[in-house]
Amino acid sequence: ADPHPADCRAQAPVPRRPEGPGPWPGLNMSIACIQQSPRLERASFERCWVGWPPVSTPRTLMLPAGIRRVTFRTSRGNFAALEALPGSGVHERQPALLIPGYTGSKEDFLPVLQPLAAAGRQVVAIDMRGQYETPGTDDPGAYEFAALAADVALIADQLDIGPPDGVHLLGHSLGGLVAREILLARATRVSSLTLMSSGPGGLTGPRAAILKALLAELGPAGQEDLQDQVKRVWATYLEPQAVAEGTPDTIMKFVRTRMLTSSPTGLRSMGENLLSCPDRTKALAGLGVAPLLVVYGEDDDAWDPATQEDMALRLGAERVCIPAAAHSPAVEAPETTASTLTHFWNAAECRRR
């Protein structure tokens, strides 16, 4: 039986971010940071980490039942992934492919993988090129969004998709810009596109100021000791902040390992591309080839919620604001996020029948 019998009906209205100028809980430090010059002095740089370490932080690393680590082997290289399958083993619905954000990894989706798969679909979360357990390269061009999109499209082609169906693509933050590129290039069959905590173009606001400061700390392109600079940033800024916030030792060890094993060239190149990405909303809106969903936390402090709402309007996309979440709804509100995605994906499949 379908666990979501109402999926083909219109969804109930979702709570909206309150109107007005704020201040919003959890955003006060970020608002202070945006007022600084992009060339932050060291003291200001240190203050900007507070309340916003620029690293996605999962709250658990335990693999629930039905989730396994896999490697996708493609003509463009090998890619590490987590795969979740329905308990019955039967894929009644189209698969979903989840793309992480900047400094993130497949583990950022751990809280939602099992409930998403329980709806009857294969769900795969990946490390993109140069992220955590996927090998990187010293070629900055490999981290352009078009190149990353070509990588992900080959993974999508290997999922359990029966013609003429496609994959449900979801990109978180920077991953949304990559997922958008896949659809624009028509690089694989896509049943729907979800932009989660992502924006119309390059990052702006508080996190942009912090990212510029991070890139400045890493030094100029071509620097031979880039890996050493990444280690220094971790030891000087990120690790002390994680300790101050009471991050559990197991999570701390994981985040450190992920940061230091990810490609330093990828860290810098993807950061630069995240800042300079053009607004391609008009081009995406003109495609009309797949249902679109824009989903974000009510306290998102990367792309402002109002910016994401405007993008949804320009795209003609469905829009869902997740209560009690900020920039990582899959971690901060996993039950609501998983339910939202399942309803959207099932409804998209209903419309194709």
Side-chain angles (χ1 to χ4, degrees):
D2 190 335
H4 298 282
D7 287 342
C8 294
R9 300 198 298 267
Q11 298 184 31
V14 297
R16 295 187 54 170
R17 175 187 176 94
E19 302 293 334
W24 306 111
L27 295 186
N28 294 342
M29 180 56 64
S30 295
I31 292 173
C33 288
I34 192 176
Q35 296 171 352
Q36 302 290 338
S37 164
R39 298 182 63 84
L40 297 170
E41 295 180 352
R42 181 172 300 275
S44 298
F45 182 66
E46 291 172 351
R47 287 197 300 272
C48 280
W49 296 125
V50 178
W52 191 89
V55 179
S56 299
T57 306
R59 295 177 180 172
T60 179
L61 298 173
M62 184 179 298
L63 293 187
I67 298 177
R68 61 175 183 164
R69 297 186 181 276
V70 298
T71 298
F72 286 89
R73 307 184 188 281
T74 77
S75 60
R76 295 178 61 86
N78 299 334
F79 297 86
L82 292 173
E83 180 186 47
L85 299 173
S88 66
V90 179
H91 306 173
E92 300 173 344
R93 297 189 175 276
Q94 295 160 23
L97 181 57
L98 315 182
I99 309 170
Y102 183 61
T103 74
S105 67
K106 55 193 179 300
E107 285 75 14
D108 297 337
F109 296 108
L110 264 175
V112 298
L113 290 180
Q114 191 177 50
L116 290 176
R121 59 172 47 87
Q122 175 192 27
V123 183
V124 172
I126 63 170
D127 293 340
M128 288 190 289
R129 183 180 302 279
Q131 289 184 321
Y132 189 31
E133 294 180 322
T134 293
T137 172
D138 292 334
D139 176 15
Y143 304 101
E144 298 288 339
F145 291 140
L148 295 173
D151 293 340
V152 178
L154 291 181
I155 299 171
D157 288 342
Q158 294 189 30
L159 301 188
D160 186 16
I161 306 172
D165 296 329
V167 64
H168 296 291
L169 275 181
L170 179 147
H172 172 240
S173 195
L174 177 144
L177 302 176
V178 174
R180 178 182 71 179
E181 196 69 27
I182 295 171
L183 196 60
L184 287 170
R186 304 199 180 196
T188 191
R189 299 195 308 276
V190 176
S191 286
S192 74
L193 171 63
T194 299
L195 302 175
M196 176 184 286
S197 304
S198 192
L203 187 64
T204 60
R207 295 206 180 201
I210 297 173
L211 179 52
K212 289 175 183 177
L214 171 62
L215 295 176
E217 287 286 316
L218 295 181
Q223 186 171 285
E224 293 183 359
D225 61 348
L226 182 57
Q227 182 66 65
D228 290 337
Q229 296 300 325
V230 173
K231 292 179 180 178
R232 182 180 60 79
V233 168
W234 169 262
T236 304
Y237 303 112
L238 302 181
E239 187 171 33
Q241 177 60 32
V243 171
E245 293 181 345
T247 303
D249 289 344
T250 54
I251 302 298
M252 176 101 69
K253 182 179 179 181
F254 164 76
V255 174
R256 181 184 187 277
T257 300
R258 180 175 65 180
M259 184 82 173
L260 300 185
T261 58
S262 294
S263 165
T265 301
L267 182 66
R268 180 164 57 193
S269 298
M270 283 193 278
E272 292 171 345
N273 294 332
L274 180 55
L275 290 171
S276 63
C277 180
D279 185 338
R280 304 198 66 188
T281 304
K282 183 176 180 180
L284 183 60
L287 283 182
V289 297
L292 305 175
L293 171 66
V294 173
V295 58
Y296 52 89
E298 65 176 345
D299 290 326
D300 197 336
D301 58 344
W303 288 275
D304 185 80
T307 298
Q308 296 182 66
E309 179 177 359
D310 177 71
M311 178 178 68
L313 291 173
R314 294 167 60 196
L315 289 172
E318 295 186 39
R319 179 190 63 85
V320 175
C321 178
I322 303 292
H327 189 57
S328 300
V331 173
E332 297 148 352
E335 293 184 1
T336 303
T337 300
S339 175
T340 296
L341 295 174
T342 295
H343 277 267
F344 172 68
W345 291 340
N346 289 357
E349 293 172 23
C350 287
R351 288 195 290 267
R352 293 174 64 91
R353 292 171 185 163

